[in-house]
């Protein structure tokens, strides 16, 4: 890669640093949560009329004497509870994704995306809600475009839709998420049995900002995409696969003008592609190119194959 490549890649963000993109790609889950909350709150305030942001706090096994244990479980990151967050913020119309498989036959699998249609509360909590407090919702109704209906136990060809007038609406309820025993600090296990170390939360998470690993295979067309991998610090320790991570993050958008890449320090840019894995990959690519030309020449397609391999994108 050259300095000119870096200039083109970071052009949009340097010139429009305050622009809010439709989607974002990051390296760490914590960064995704921060940007998701920030963007959701901004959209709620700027909408007309102003939309309410609902705060869904997770529940834990509580007694009169285990509050310190509850506080410790609250502090554990979502990755320890199969990506179920301690605090989930949603609003009607926001983008969410499932964090677990609910019904593969119905199309409700992990990472399935949808939009929040309704947030439903228990009648007993309405007064608290009106007062501005944040009781836990009874259920969150999500519009999943890929929902195919729940198959009947007797006949799989018969499908049930919870909301016949809205066949893509699915009610999502709170579930218990249990961490692995190795992920629970030892001092918690000494005071509380493992079966009580759970987090009760909706199996949902905001999906506007995701990690580069989760973005792999997705195409974000007709929208703007920001990429912030925290590479502006020259002293940051880079993962071995950083070259592949940048490649995945920067190739989700279909047009360069829709890509907003945060600044990358020149010394970090120079280190990209210098690992042993990158050297092996480039050697394999050269070998495959030579083999393809040899194969094409034997079948009378050498000129066509040569033109395809020498193709260069027009920026």
């Amino acid at each position: 890669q050259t300095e000119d490549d870096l200039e083109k890649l970071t052009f949009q963000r340097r010139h429009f640093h305050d622009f809010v993109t439709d989607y974002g790609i990051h390296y760490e889950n914590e960064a995704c949560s921060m940007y998701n909350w920030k963007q959701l709150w901004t959209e709620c305030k700027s909408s007309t009329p102003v939309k309410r942001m609902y705060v869904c706090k997770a529940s834990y096994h509580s007694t009169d004497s285990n509050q310190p244990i509850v506080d410790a479980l609250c502090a554990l990151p979502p990755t320890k509870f199969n990506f179920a967050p301690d605090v989930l913020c949603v609003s009607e119309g926001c983008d969410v994704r499932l964090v677990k498989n609910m019904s593969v036959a119905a199309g409700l699998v992990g990472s399935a995306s949808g939009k929040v249609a309704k947030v439903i509360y228990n009648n007993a909590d309405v007064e608290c809600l009106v007062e501005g407090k944040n009781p836990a919702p009874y259920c969150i109704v999500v519009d999943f475009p890929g929902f195919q209906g729940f198959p009947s136990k007797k006949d799989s060809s018969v499908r049930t839709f919870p909301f016949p007038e809205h066949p893509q609406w699915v009610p999502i309820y709170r579930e218990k998420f249990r961490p692995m025993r190795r992920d629970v600090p030892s001092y918690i296990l000494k005071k509380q049995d493992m079966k009580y170390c759970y987090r009760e939360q909706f199996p949902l998470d905001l999906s506007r900002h995701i990690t580069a690993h989760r973005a792999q295979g997705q195409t974000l067309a007709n929208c703007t995409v920001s990429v912030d991998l925290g590479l502006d610090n020259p002293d940051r320790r880079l993962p071995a696969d950083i070259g592949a991570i940048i490649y995945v993050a920067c190739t989700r958008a279909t047009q360069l003008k829709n890509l907003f890449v945060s600044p990358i320090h020149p010394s970090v840019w120079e280190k990209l592609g210098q690992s042993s894995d990158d050297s092996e990959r480039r050697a394999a690519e050269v070998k495959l190119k030579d083999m393809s030309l040899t194969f094409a020449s034997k079948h009378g397609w050498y000129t066509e194959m040569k033109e395809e391999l020498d193709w260069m994108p027009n920026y």
Side-chain angles (χ1 to χ4, degrees):
Q1 64 277 359
T2 65
E3 293 182 4
D4 186 53
D5 294 329
L6 181 60
E7 176 77 14
K8 292 176 181 176
L9 202 60
T10 59
F11 178 87
Q12 291 285 72
R13 181 54 75 194
R14 286 187 291 104
H15 287 76
F16 308 100
H17 53 85
D18 291 331
F19 183 81
V20 179
T21 59
D22 299 317
Y23 296 92
I25 300 177
H26 310 272
Y27 181 70
E28 298 173 337
N29 288 289
E30 291 76 10
C32 294
S33 298
M34 180 187 69
Y35 280 98
N36 272 321
W37 288 352
K38 182 179 179 181
Q39 184 166 355
L40 178 64
W41 180 238
T42 301
E43 292 179 353
C44 286
K45 292 190 298 181
S46 60
S47 63
T48 305
V50 176
K51 293 193 299 184
R52 176 162 186 164
M53 187 174 76
Y54 299 92
V55 180
C56 311
K57 181 71 171 67
S59 299
Y60 300 86
H61 173 72
S62 300
T63 64
D64 295 335
S65 59
N66 79 331
Q67 188 57 44
I69 302 300
V70 172
D71 294 338
L73 293 174
C74 291
L76 292 179
T79 52
K80 306 299 183 183
F81 289 92
N82 296 324
F83 295 97
D86 175 60
V87 177
L88 171 66
C89 298
V90 297
S91 68
E92 293 185 356
C94 73
D95 294 316
V96 294
R97 65 178 179 86
L98 285 173
V99 299
K100 60 173 289 186
N101 289 343
M102 291 188 58
S103 175
V104 176
L108 300 177
V109 298
S111 294
S113 299
K115 289 183 179 294
V116 174
K118 298 289 181 181
V119 181
I120 301 177
Y121 280 83
N122 190 305
N123 289 340
D125 296 326
V126 172
E127 185 175 349
C128 293
L129 189 67
V130 173
E131 293 176 355
K133 300 179 181 179
N134 294 287
Y138 171 67
C139 80
I140 299 176
V141 181
V142 182
D143 186 337
F144 287 107
F147 179 56
Q148 303 169 9
F150 294 108
S152 173
K153 295 182 179 180
K154 297 182 179 180
D155 186 359
S156 59
S157 62
V158 178
R159 300 279 172 161
T160 301
F161 297 88
F163 298 90
E165 295 183 358
H166 302 278
Q168 294 180 334
W169 285 16
V170 181
I172 305 296
Y173 301 91
R174 290 155 67 94
E175 298 184 12
K176 289 184 179 180
F177 291 84
R178 302 184 186 276
M180 300 293 291
R181 188 179 184 88
R182 64 173 181 269
D183 293 332
V184 180
S186 58
Y187 70 89
I188 294 181
L189 296 177
K190 291 179 181 179
K191 298 181 179 181
Q192 184 166 289
D193 193 280
M194 184 63 193
K195 67 179 180 179
Y196 297 120
C197 297
Y198 60 80
R199 174 178 290 176
E200 191 172 5
Q201 181 60 283
F202 294 99
L204 299 170
D205 198 6
L206 297 174
S207 61
R208 284 291 188 93
H209 293 264
I210 57 178
T211 61
H213 294 85
R214 192 173 297 278
Q216 189 169 0
Q218 297 190 29
T219 300
L220 303 176
N222 302 321
C223 61
T224 54
V225 181
S226 63
V227 175
D228 185 3
L229 303 176
L231 301 179
D232 54 338
N233 184 2
D235 298 326
R236 176 170 180 173
R237 185 176 179 179
L238 300 177
D241 58 344
I242 186 61
I245 291 174
I246 291 182
Y247 171 78
V248 169
C250 294
T251 53
R252 300 309 93 196
T254 56
Q255 292 182 302
L256 190 61
K257 67 179 182 179
N258 293 334
L259 189 63
F260 291 73
V261 181
S262 295
I264 301 176
H265 197 275
S267 63
V268 175
W269 183 254
E270 293 175 358
K271 295 177 183 178
L272 299 180
Q274 303 302 319
S275 66
S276 58
D277 291 342
D278 292 316
S279 299
E280 293 178 4
R281 174 181 54 79
R282 284 191 291 268
E285 289 175 352
V286 172
K287 184 178 179 180
L288 286 172
K289 182 177 180 179
D290 294 340
M291 292 174 63
S292 64
L293 289 173
T294 301
F295 180 84
S297 63
K298 292 181 179 179
H299 294 78
W301 290 89
Y302 180 84
T303 302
E304 291 81 354
M305 177 59 73
K306 182 66 175 175
E307 291 179 355
E308 183 173 342
L309 292 174
D310 292 340
W311 179 85
M312 292 294 292
N314 182 5
Y315 289 109

